């Protein structure tokens, strides 16, 4: 609790409101009592509203800081792997060596999908967007595990977490395989999480798939860097859906639907569209000039970030990984990648971009890596959703583990006043 108060003056009325401080970050003013005074706050997009209390992730955008359970994202990307980060987000602490081994084994034992789920894929058109398939299939998981969806039971929630973490790569890879007409590849327990995903994406039944360790490491870093990002649009959607008591699979499906929006999960796909629009290195100066012209609609995608007003801490990791992948695959001279590298150099040196802190962000580099590996742009958001599932679930689990109430945002009504029906 707190002894500090903020005073809000509304006309001739003064209302005292409690002020709380978190571990780090801005103070928050508790406005819950305002409804009793007949007053609401007005905050479109909820950009100034703390809708929950959380111990999972902290972002300091001004200083380029991203912490998962207190650990800097750079340290996790350098020293950990995705499944260990999943354990951290879910449990709150890093696992011991024994806990880590058991967790990895548990996930490996849940990667298979029920064989009847093949029928769900076959119900979609071959040219359906993979996000449409993923959204439907994840929601359908509730039809197969309806006997273990008691949200008040911690053990059942843990089993659900294991199933989602384990099955999402299988679902994601099958979305791709279905779209190109190739047979589904089953998961292999002898491979790591990222190796298994690549095997299910690019393997075929007629020959053994041998994962490239450089590419597998790059995928694992992409998974880590997209695992959670605090109370963003899709995470807030999962929390809002979960506040109704909806089953966790439906809640995760709602997060996938929110992530599908181009303003949220489609940023790295937009980067490649921009590179294709530029087309050639000789056109770069022209497009840079267009980007600097405030009256020109063209924007450089993958530069700057709504949250980070400094360098995106995830981008530093991705930049190193991108160069490793391009070198490994001998793609240093790929036309689009050459354009990207030139844009990167300009953004880091040009006074216009440096002054405005329009540095390359994580989406700029992750799109390049995924393209180099051979993953089509339609799958980019699917991989994002697969990675973010642990973040969504951790926030949902944190919410349903404590006291919560159904979400009920208010509005500023500007429609007609009450009027009588008078049919002309």
């Amino acid at each position: 609790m707190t002894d500090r108060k903020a005073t809000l003056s509304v006309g001739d009325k003064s209302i005292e409101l409690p002020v709380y401080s978190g571990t780090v970050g801005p103070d928050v003013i508790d406005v819950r009592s305002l409804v009793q005074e007949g007053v609401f706050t007005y905050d479109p997009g909820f950009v100034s509203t703390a809708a929950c209390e959380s111990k999972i992730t902290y972002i300091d955008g001004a200083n380029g800081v991203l912490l998962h359970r207190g650990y800097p994202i750079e340290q996790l990307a350098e020293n950990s792997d995705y499944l260990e980060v999943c354990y951290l987000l879910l449990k709150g602490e890093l696992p011991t060596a024994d806990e880590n081994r058991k967790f990895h084994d548990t996930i490996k034992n849940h990667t298979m999908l029920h064989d009847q789920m093949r029928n769900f894929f076959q119900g979609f058109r071959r040219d359906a967007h993979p996000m449409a398939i993923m959204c439907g299939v994840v929601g359908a998981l509730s039809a197969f595990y309806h006997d273990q969806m008691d949200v008040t039971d911690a053990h059942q929630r843990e089993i659900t977490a294991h199933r989602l973490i384990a099955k999402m790569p299988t679902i994601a890879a099958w979305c791709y395989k279905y779209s190109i007409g190739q047979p589904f590849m089953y998961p292999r327990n002898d491979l790591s999480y990222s190796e298994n995903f690549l095997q299910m994406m690019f393997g075929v039944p007629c020959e053994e798939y041998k994962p490239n360790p450089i590419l597998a490491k790059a995928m694992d870093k992409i998974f880590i860097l997209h695992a959670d990002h605090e109370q963003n649009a899709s995470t807030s959607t999962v929390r809002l859906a979960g506040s109704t008591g909806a089953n966790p699979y439906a809640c995760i499906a709602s997060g996938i639907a929110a992530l599908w929006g181009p303003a949220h999960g489609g940023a790295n796909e937009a980067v490649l569209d921009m590179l294709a629009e530029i087309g050639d290195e000789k056109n770069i100066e022209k497009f840079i000039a267009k980007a600097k012209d405030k009256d020109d609609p063209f924007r450089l995608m993958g530069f700057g970030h709504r949250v980070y007003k400094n360098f995106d801490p995830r981008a530093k990791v991705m930049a190193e990984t991108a160069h490793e992948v391009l070198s490994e695959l001998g793609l240093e001279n790929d036309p689009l990648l050459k354009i990207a590298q030139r844009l990167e150099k300009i953004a880091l040196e040009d006074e216009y971009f440096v002054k405005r802190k329009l540095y390359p962000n994580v989406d700029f580099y992750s799109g390049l890596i995924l393209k180099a590996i051979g993953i089509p742009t339609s799958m980019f958001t699917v991989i994002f959703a697969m990675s973010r599932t642990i973040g969504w679930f951790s926030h949902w689990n944190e919410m349903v583990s404590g006291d919560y109430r159904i979400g009920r945002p208010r509005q500023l009504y500007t429609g007609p006043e009450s009027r009588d029906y008078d049919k002309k």
Side-chain angles (χ1 to χ4, degrees):
M1 299 300 290
T2 178
D3 294 328
R4 293 188 298 151
K5 301 284 186 181
T7 302
L8 174 66
S9 297
V10 182
D12 58 357
K13 183 190 301 184
S14 292
I15 306 170
E16 285 198 335
L17 302 168
V19 179
Y20 301 111
S21 296
T23 310
V24 288
D27 292 342
V28 298
I29 301 172
D30 186 344
V31 298
R32 285 176 290 182
S33 63
L34 286 182
V35 65
Q36 300 166 12
E37 305 289 344
V39 178
F40 300 150
T41 58
Y42 183 59
D43 183 19
F46 308 110
V47 295
S48 297
T49 298
C52 66
E53 178 185 333
S54 181
K55 296 179 173 66
I56 298 171
T57 297
Y58 172 71
I59 296 172
D60 180 351
N63 294 305
V65 173
L66 172 60
L67 307 177
H68 288 339
R69 301 288 193 179
Y71 293 99
I73 190 64
E74 304 94 323
Q75 293 183 22
L76 292 174
E78 180 65 28
N79 302 302
S80 188
D81 64 31
Y82 179 67
L83 287 185
E84 187 176 59
V85 171
C86 288
Y87 187 100
L88 172 67
L89 290 172
L90 195 60
K91 302 281 192 176
E93 298 292 342
L94 288 170
T96 64
D98 187 54
E99 289 170 336
N100 198 29
R101 179 186 56 78
K102 288 180 179 178
F103 187 71
H104 278 68
D105 288 345
T106 298
I107 298 305
K108 284 183 179 180
N109 289 329
H110 281 87
T111 53
M112 293 281 289
L113 296 180
H114 192 290
D115 196 56
Q116 277 186 265
M117 295 209 73
R118 299 171 66 95
N119 299 332
F120 283 86
F121 287 88
Q122 292 163 359
F124 289 95
R125 286 172 49 127
R126 290 282 180 180
D127 60 354
H129 195 287
M131 282 294 280
I133 301 175
M134 173 174 264
C135 194
V137 172
V138 171
L141 286 173
S142 59
F144 290 84
Y145 303 113
H146 51 79
D147 59 331
Q148 291 184 317
M149 292 192 300
D150 181 356
V151 301
T152 66
D153 187 320
H155 179 63
Q156 291 190 28
R157 295 199 304 270
E158 183 176 45
I159 292 174
T160 301
H162 296 161
R163 284 173 171 157
L164 280 166
I165 296 167
K167 296 179 191 305
M168 286 299 279
T170 310
I171 293 171
W174 283 21
C175 288
Y176 173 64
K177 285 298 194 184
Y178 184 74
S179 71
I180 61 174
Q182 286 189 1
F184 294 147
M185 292 295 291
Y186 288 102
R188 282 170 42 189
N189 288 353
D190 62 314
L191 299 177
S192 71
Y193 193 84
S194 57
E195 289 174 338
N196 206 15
F197 174 68
L198 291 174
Q199 180 267 144
M200 290 188 289
M201 281 285 292
F202 300 117
V204 289
C206 51
E207 60 186 45
E208 183 182 0
Y209 180 83
K210 296 180 180 179
N212 182 314
I214 300 294
L215 304 189
K217 180 182 176 184
M219 286 306 309
D220 197 71
K221 287 189 185 296
I222 286 176
F223 298 158
I224 291 173
L225 296 177
H226 289 86
D228 192 48
H229 210 237
E230 207 219 66
Q231 306 304 321
N232 52 77
S234 56
T235 301
S236 298
T237 298
V238 171
R239 278 185 174 265
L240 191 60
S243 75
T244 70
N247 75 74
Y249 301 106
C251 295
I252 298 303
S254 75
I256 295 169
L259 187 71
W260 194 357
H264 190 5
N268 50 12
E269 186 173 346
V271 169
L272 290 186
D273 290 341
M274 174 199 69
L275 297 177
E277 183 180 356
I278 294 174
D280 193 289
E281 281 189 88
K282 66 184 181 183
N283 298 326
I284 288 178
E285 294 301 329
K286 179 179 73 174
F287 279 93
I288 289 292
K290 288 164 65 71
K292 293 179 179 179
D293 183 356
K294 66 181 189 309
D295 296 322
D296 193 299
F298 177 78
R299 293 291 180 268
L300 283 180
M301 306 305 296
F303 294 86
H305 196 279
R306 183 181 181 186
V307 172
Y308 298 108
K309 306 310 175 188
N310 203 310
F311 210 92
D312 182 342
R314 302 168 299 170
K316 297 177 183 179
V317 179
M318 277 288 89
E320 295 175 4
T321 303
H323 293 298
E324 289 176 5
V325 169
L326 298 182
S327 176
E328 171 68 16
L329 297 176
L331 293 174
E332 296 93 338
N333 294 317
D334 181 275
L336 288 188
L337 299 178
K338 293 286 282 185
I339 295 171
Q341 289 172 326
R342 177 82 182 280
L343 286 175
E344 175 191 23
K345 188 173 188 297
I346 291 172
L348 294 175
E349 296 176 356
D350 189 295
E351 182 183 358
Y352 177 89
F353 295 97
V354 173
K355 182 179 179 181
R356 290 164 175 78
K357 299 182 178 180
L358 297 175
Y359 303 114
N361 60 37
V362 68
D363 299 307
F364 181 78
Y365 295 109
S366 64
L368 298 179
I369 293 170
L370 294 175
K371 179 184 184 299
I373 290 174
I375 294 172
T377 54
S378 62
M379 282 291 296
F380 286 7
T381 315
V382 169
I383 291 172
F384 193 162
M386 184 185 92
S387 310
R388 183 57 57 87
T389 294
I390 182 57
W392 291 331
F393 189 90
S394 297
H395 283 275
W396 173 85
N397 188 54
E398 180 182 62
M399 181 186 70
V400 300
S401 298
D403 294 327
Y404 68 98
R405 57 189 302 179
I406 186 171
R408 184 33 172 109
R410 302 295 180 166
Q411 66 176 11
L412 174 64
Y413 177 70
T414 56
E417 296 182 8
S418 177
R419 50 185 173 174
D420 294 326
Y421 177 79
D422 182 15
K423 188 173 182 179
K424 302 297 184 183

